[in-house]
Every structure is written in C-alpha cells, then in structure tokens.
Amino acid sequence: MTDQSLSRTAPNERRFLWPLMAALLIVSWSSGFIGIRYASQEASVMLVLFWRTLLSGLILLPFALSIGPRLRPRAIAEQMLFGVMSVFLYLGGFALAIEQRVPTGLVALISDLLPLAIAALSQPVLGERLTGRQWLGTAIAVAGVLIVSIDSLSFGAAPIWAYGLTVGSMLVFAFASVLHKRRRTGHLPVHQSLCIHTLTASVLFGICAMMQGDIAPPLTRGFAIGMIWLVLIATFAAYSVYYTSLRLFPVAQVSAAIYLSPPVTMLWAWALFSEPLTTAMFAGLAVTLVGVWLTSRR
C-alpha cells in the first residue's frame, strides 16, 4: 500500500477502518507467542529469530524488487536503520534478556508497556498531545496489563544489565515507531520496507546464532510449524498492519491496541496448548478494554 493511496483515505473511512485494523493488529501481534512456543523447543532463540527474519526477507525480496518505487541507496540505508532498531534490537534484546534468566513474565510485562513509552514520546517528537481522557485510558490499560501479568510476575537472579536491556529494547522500538511516524515523505510501501528490515536483522541474528553454534535449522515438524506461524502471522501480518496503521492513525491510538496482547496471548495458549485461564486474566482483559477504548475514542 503506497502513501498516495493512504492519503486518499477519507477521515470518516479511517474511523470505520480502525476497529478492523486494531483487531488484526491485536491478533497478529499476540500470535508471536505461538510460533516461539513451537520453534524454541527445537532450537535456541537466536536461531529461531535468524530463520524467522531470513525467510521473511527472502519471501518478500522478489516483490520488493519488482513492485513499488525503485530502491535507492539512501532509502535502503534509512530502512536498514529502522530494521536494526525495530527488529534486531527489539526482538534480540528480549531474547538475550531471557537467556540471561530474566523471568519471562517480567520480560513480557515490560514489552507490553510499549504503548506507554510511545505515548510519552509522541508529544515531544510528533507534537501529538494526548488529552486527559487518553492519559486516563493509558493508566487504566496499564493497570489491566498488570492484573493479567501478576500471576507470572517474579524477579530472578539475572545480572542488572539484563533487566536494563529489557527496558532499553522496549524504548528503542518506541523511538523507532515515533520516528517512522514523523517521516512525512519518503515512505516506501510496506512490503519493501519490511523486506529491508528483516534481511538486515537476519544478518545480525545470523552472526549471533553462529557465535552460539550451528545455524542449520532443525528438520522437525515443530520448528517448521513455528516458522510458518512466525513468518506469515507474527511478521508479515503484525508488522504490515502496524506500519500501515501508523500512517493512518495517531501513534498513541495505534500503540494502545497492543495493551490487549497479553490477555489475547493467554487465549491463544488456552486454545492451542490447553493452558488454564484464570480469573485475573478475565479481570485484566475487562480493565484493559476500558483503557484502550478511552485512549482510542475520538
């Protein structure tokens, strides 16, 4: 989807488009857990991320070269920077923190506070000032995330820098999001930018994976299912919907939908892996829904 077609979308059409975009974003963003659950049983996290990004980039490459504007060196360099920030540092930082034994529940909680960081950055960087109602909705959504995560929240014995790494990874992605929104011109179509992002990250993840051992993929059913899920849903769907939404809607409104990822992830886990649902999950889901509604309502 090009900038020209996006710019022709009327405000009323965007208003009715947002519920659909938000639903797609929530479902695809939360689905990353499923692919990781399948694939990480067969390989290290860095190896999983290497093959996820490499396959995504290679699948997109023919379309990126044949459809859309000509890729110029400056545009490629800019998108490579975004790829380092929004894919390698974001996903890789959380993966490294988990390997350093930062509790998974704490890592998930920090990553799910991404919309709060984006909301805080949107005013000084973009001039998108949040209203009092939107800040109230943000606070309520954060409370909902805390309720959902409380059962899995614990503090481990990881080194101090590993805890800081989780916060830093989240802040890097938040900064990349507002920078992406700030660029009023020069946007590449999503399939071209995502191709550059993933191929750039794959090189860096490949180096990390080689430092840990072999980069050959495990030839198992679980790894294959995980890759299909991660590439098609957690990468193509999630990132495409996210970047397209950033061009159409205020960045704080788009990021607020991510607050619903924790409870939806638990619904995925219940449906596919028979993990139990708790009262806290339903309570947190209800609270988060109220917060997202307040933040997104015009």
Side-chain angles (χ1 to χ4, degrees):
M1 185 178 291
T2 63
D3 285 338
Q4 288 79 9
S5 62
L6 290 175
S7 63
R8 289 195 295 265
T9 306
N12 285 338
E13 292 176 349
R14 293 185 186 183
R15 181 162 57 97
F16 291 112
L17 180 62
W18 169 241
L20 174 61
M21 298 290 287
L24 290 173
L25 178 61
I26 294 164
V27 170
S28 59
W29 200 270
S30 63
S31 70
F33 162 80
I34 305 302
I36 291 292
R37 175 72 176 265
Y38 278 115
S40 62
Q41 295 175 353
E42 314 290 341
S44 68
V45 175
M46 285 298 172
L47 187 61
V48 170
L49 293 175
F50 166 65
W51 282 104
R52 169 186 177 176
T53 51
L54 179 63
L55 290 174
S56 300
L58 291 178
I59 292 172
L60 288 173
L61 185 59
F63 303 99
L65 294 176
S66 60
I67 303 174
R70 182 180 177 183
L71 294 174
R72 301 186 180 279
R74 179 177 178 181
I76 293 174
E78 289 179 348
Q79 294 303 324
M80 288 177 67
L81 177 59
F82 280 115
V84 171
M85 297 173 68
S86 62
V87 181
F88 176 70
L89 293 179
Y90 178 58
L91 298 178
F94 288 126
L96 181 58
I98 291 173
E99 287 187 346
Q100 292 296 318
R101 299 185 179 180
V102 177
T104 304
L106 182 59
V107 172
L109 174 63
I110 293 173
S111 68
D112 292 327
L113 296 180
L114 170 68
L116 180 61
I118 291 178
L121 289 171
S122 61
Q123 181 173 346
V125 178
L126 300 175
E128 293 182 1
R129 183 176 182 179
L130 272 66
T131 65
R133 186 196 72 247
Q134 288 177 309
W135 278 116
L136 175 61
T138 297
I140 293 174
V142 170
V145 171
L146 289 172
I147 293 172
V148 171
S149 306
I150 196 67
D151 288 339
S152 61
L153 187 60
S154 62
F155 293 90
I160 296 298
W161 64 265
Y163 292 96
L165 183 63
T166 59
V167 178
S169 298
M170 180 267 293
L171 291 176
V172 165
F173 189 85
F175 187 59
S177 295
V178 295
L179 283 183
H180 186 274
K181 177 70 173 180
R182 186 179 180 179
R183 296 176 71 246
R184 303 298 182 185
T185 60
H187 280 294
L188 291 176
V190 173
H191 69 282
Q192 288 184 316
S193 59
L194 187 56
C195 176
I196 299 171
H197 294 179
T198 51
L199 287 179
T200 301
S202 72
V203 174
L204 300 174
F205 283 133
I207 294 172
C208 295
M210 284 191 292
M211 292 174 64
Q212 296 180 342
D214 192 8
I215 61 172
L219 301 179
T220 62
R221 180 174 177 270
F223 188 81
I225 293 174
M227 282 298 106
I228 292 171
W229 201 289
L230 287 171
V231 170
L232 296 182
I233 303 178
T235 300
F236 288 171
Y239 278 88
S240 296
V241 173
Y242 183 71
Y243 285 129
T244 302
S245 298
L246 283 181
R247 300 184 193 182
L248 289 170
F249 306 100
V251 64
Q253 177 180 343
V254 174
S255 63
I258 298 176
Y259 280 127
L260 288 169
S261 290
V264 174
T265 296
M266 293 182 181
L267 289 175
W268 278 114
W270 168 76
L272 294 178
F273 305 114
S274 300
E275 293 189 5
L277 298 177
T278 65
T279 303
M281 191 277 284
F282 287 107
L285 175 59
V287 172
T288 304
L289 279 170
V290 172
V292 172
W293 176 76
L294 284 173
T295 304
S296 302
R297 185 169 66 89
R298 292 184 180 276

